[in-house]
Amino acid sequence: MILIAGGAGYIGSHANKILNQKGYETVVYDNLFYGHREFCKWGRFVLGDLADKEQLRLCFKTYPIEAVMHYCAFCYVGESVDHPAEYYRNNVINTLNLLEVMVEHGVKNFIFSSSCATYGNPIEIPMTENHPQSPINPYGKTKLMVEQILKDFDRAYGIRHACLRYFNAAGADPDAEVGEWHEPETHLIPLVLQVATGQRPHIQVFGTDYDTPDGTCVRDYIHINDLAAAHIAALEYLKDGGVSTAFNLGNGNGFSVKEVIQTAERVTGKSIKVIEAARRPGDPPTLVGSADKARKILNWQPRYTNLEEIIKTAWRWEMSRTETRKTID
Ligand code: UDP
């Protein structure tokens, strides 16, 4: 059985669905602080916090857990700058709890949601796994600290890990059973789509004077199901005896904020009102990753390489949420 810590969130819930489709048994462990009970549609569910070691131990005693996928984290960069203590406690100390309980129960395989935020400002594009890791905000630092802890836990206790460094997770389950639902929402694609549904009056573009082709930031958007598939490939890699390592997960193509908005206008058939705003602190101009290592070693291939296809799945999800809200109202 696979323990999905944070399986009620955006990425964990998509991984849970695909794991179950592939015949894995799963148990989601989530405190529902940011996660949604409605997203736990597959496998078992345990309401618990990683700060609560007794509850974690009970979960490991109850279920025959053979591997852990760990998605629980606070992930707002700005908030991490204002409230670093909460980020270090939740993202680092609570992960340590999870790892210690794994050691107690002899569970050896760990898949970690890491981030391209561990690299900091890019020196070279596309970024490979060998790019220096020099995070520029507490969020990225928490992810790097866990990566470092994992190396020591491998050496000391034989816990093998795959650190998956995501670029920009985007899109939704094509059946719209789960999707992107953050409160508050800060991510570009859902915000743009909420302008299209009329829930928001406009989208602010943070910075139009970057050194990029159209002056707006360029990001590498990777579909959530491609991310989920990579987690399963990494799990199988570790089960087959693969050594601990890190993999970038991205498409290798960059799209600017303006291109995202124009694509969303095409997909939705709506015009999206834009307001040009100041740069958001901590945003590098361009973040594009090379996922060649994952392609080669995990034999993984992103299926959604086209931004329009990614946004279509996000739009289907956003429309279904809007319908549900109307029904409830
Ligand atoms: N962005 C924007 N307006 C928004 C939200 C985001 O212009 O309301 C920009 C942001 O500056 C970044 C890109 O969109 O360049 C992607 O941001 P997002 O928050 O989706 O992901 P991040 O890159 O921070 O992980």
Side-chain angles (χ1 to χ4, degrees):
M1 188 173 262
I2 313 301
L3 178 78
I4 311 180
Y10 175 39
I11 307 177
S13 61
H14 287 77
N16 190 22
K17 176 170 180 178
I18 295 184
L19 279 164
N20 278 273
Q21 281 175 339
K22 289 199 175 277
Y24 283 96
E25 287 195 281
T26 59
V27 52
V28 167
Y29 187 94
D30 202 298
N31 62 7
L32 300 182
F33 190 77
Y34 283 123
H36 311 288
R37 184 67 181 90
E38 299 91 317
F39 278 9
C40 306
K41 298 176 195 242
W42 305 275
R44 308 295 181 93
F45 175 73
V46 174
L47 179 65
D49 199 298
L50 293 183
D52 183 352
K53 264 178 128 176
E54 278 316 308
Q55 177 73 333
L56 261 179
R57 287 192 178 106
L58 185 63
C59 180
F60 276 77
K61 268 189 212 130
T62 309
Y63 299 105
I65 293 163
E66 48 171 313
V68 175
M69 290 189 181
H70 177 34
Y71 298 92
C72 307
F74 292 159
C75 60
Y76 295 109
V77 168
E79 190 180 73
S80 80
V81 175
D82 295 336
H83 304 284
E86 287 173 28
Y87 274 68
Y88 288 110
R89 189 176 315 106
N90 188 51
N91 294 6
V92 182
I93 298 175
N94 288 349
T95 300
L96 200 54
N97 284 344
L98 174 60
L99 289 168
E100 284 179 313
V101 176
M102 284 177 67
V103 173
E104 287 170 18
H105 290 81
V107 178
K108 301 280 188 192
N109 295 327
F110 192 75
I111 315 287
F112 177 54
S113 289
S114 189
S115 168
C116 64
T118 59
Y119 295 124
N121 285 323
I123 294 170
E124 223 176 42
I125 296 284
M127 300 161 101
T128 69
E129 292 80 0
N130 296 327
H131 188 284
Q133 286 181 292
S134 184
I136 54 171
N137 52 59
Y139 166 69
K141 289 179 193 170
T142 65
K143 292 285 175 183
L144 180 57
M145 281 180 187
V146 172
E147 288 201 7
Q148 288 164 338
I149 291 171
L150 286 173
K151 286 186 185 152
D152 293 336
F153 269 60
D154 185 353
R155 233 169 273 130
Y157 311 117
I159 293 188
R160 281 173 311 123
H161 61 264
C163 293
L164 304 183
R165 298 181 187 147
Y166 313 150
F167 283 73
N168 285 56
D173 168 31
D175 309 323
E177 289 193 276
V178 283
E180 191 161 9
W181 175 5
H182 297 114
E183 279 170 22
E185 188 53 79
T186 61
H187 295 99
L188 179 65
I189 292 176
L191 289 178
V192 166
L193 296 180
Q194 287 169 15
V195 178
T197 60
Q199 293 167 69
R200 292 177 193 268
H202 56 254
I203 182 77
Q204 285 186 299
V205 174
F206 297 144
T208 51
D209 57 351
Y210 282 100
D211 185 16
T212 57
D214 67 17
T216 65
C217 286
V218 171
R219 294 288 178 272
D220 179 341
Y221 294 91
I222 176 85
H223 192 270
I224 194 78
N225 272 11
D226 286 327
L227 281 185
H231 284 74
I232 295 159
L235 172 69
E236 286 166 0
Y237 161 83
L238 290 181
K239 278 175 42 173
D240 289 345
V243 295
S244 295
T245 192
F247 297 102
N248 280 345
L249 298 178
N251 256 314
N253 293 317
F255 294 94
S256 73
V257 173
K258 280 190 181 160
E259 284 174 315
V260 169
I261 296 169
Q262 283 155 6
T263 310
E265 285 187 321
R266 271 203 309 280
V267 167
T268 63
K270 313 264 180 194
S271 100
I272 291 165
K273 186 169 179 214
V274 166
I275 292 194
E276 295 190 357
R279 291 182 178 195
R280 191 172 66 173
D283 267 343
T286 302
L287 283 175
V288 176
S290 157
D292 288 352
K293 183 175 167 186
R295 287 171 196 266
K296 206 164 131 204
I297 296 181
L298 300 179
N299 201 16
W300 167 82
Q301 189 74 13
R303 290 172 60 193
Y304 291 83
T305 49
N306 176 321
L307 183 63
E308 194 160 315
E309 292 304 315
I310 295 178
I311 293 184
K312 271 186 192 163
T313 64
W315 179 233
R316 203 170 305 143
W317 161 250
E318 202 53 61
M319 297 282 278
S320 78
R321 284 184 72 195
T322 310
E323 276 310 307
T324 313
R325 282 202 203 100
K326 276 191 202 143
T327 320
I328 293 168
D329 292 349

